[in-house]
């Protein structure tokens, strides 16, 4: 990803942000009561996982055990965010008025025709 940054409501299309964020963006654009939001795109997460050194291990570790998942989660949490992404998240949070905010974790392939992963991204 050339520029790691969050997506605004207006940029939240299905390809970049996933179907749930895209539906929320369309609802907001239609004037429905949708709280302001931003999206950290999947590409940013993949880039962060690569920076944390877990991308290859995730694809090579089959089956994935609870211990593996815990180790990968710790590595991802310990890795510093790319400066551009960190600044983009901070700026987006500031536009929401700062904490407290709600966080919704979702996969880009959730709730597509024929696929549903509800509740699997905690």
């Amino acid at each position: 990803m050339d520029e790691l940054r969050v997506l605004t409501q207006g940029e939240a299309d299905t390809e970049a942000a996933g179907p749930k964020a895209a539906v929320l963006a369309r609802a907001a654009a239609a004037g429905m009561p949708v709280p302001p939001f931003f999206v950290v795109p999947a590409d940013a997460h993949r880039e962060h996982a690569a920076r944390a050194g877990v991308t290859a291990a995730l694809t090579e570790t089959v089956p994935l055990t609870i211990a593996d998942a815990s180790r990968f989660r710790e590595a991802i949490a310990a890795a510093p965010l790319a400066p551009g992404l960190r600044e983009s998240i901070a700026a987006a949070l500031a536009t929401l008025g700062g904490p407290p905010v709600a966080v919704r974790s979702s996969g880009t392939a959730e709730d597509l025709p024929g696929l549903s992963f509800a509740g699997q991204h905690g």
Side-chain angles (χ1 to χ4, degrees):
M1 187 170 199
D2 293 335
E3 179 187 350
L4 293 175
R5 62 180 187 83
V6 300
L7 303 173
T8 65
Q9 279 184 213
E11 298 169 318
D13 62 19
T14 301
E15 183 178 337
K20 289 186 181 192
V23 167
L24 284 173
R26 285 195 301 273
M32 297 183 79
V34 176
F37 70 91
F38 66 90
V39 177
V40 178
D43 285 349
H45 183 271
R46 282 190 286 275
E47 175 68 22
H48 185 71
R51 289 169 55 89
V54 300
T55 303
L58 282 170
T59 58
E60 296 167 2
T61 307
V62 178
L64 187 67
T65 67
I66 299 288
D68 294 327
S70 179
R71 190 175 73 247
F72 296 150
R73 180 179 300 154
E74 288 172 11
I76 288 170
L81 290 175
L85 181 59
R86 182 179 178 88
E87 292 164 7
S88 183
I89 290 172
L93 281 171
T95 67
L96 298 181
V101 298
V103 176
R104 170 62 169 96
S105 175
S106 183
T108 55
E110 279 191 30
D111 299 331
L112 296 174
L115 292 174
S116 180
F117 302 99
Q120 293 185 14
H121 300 281

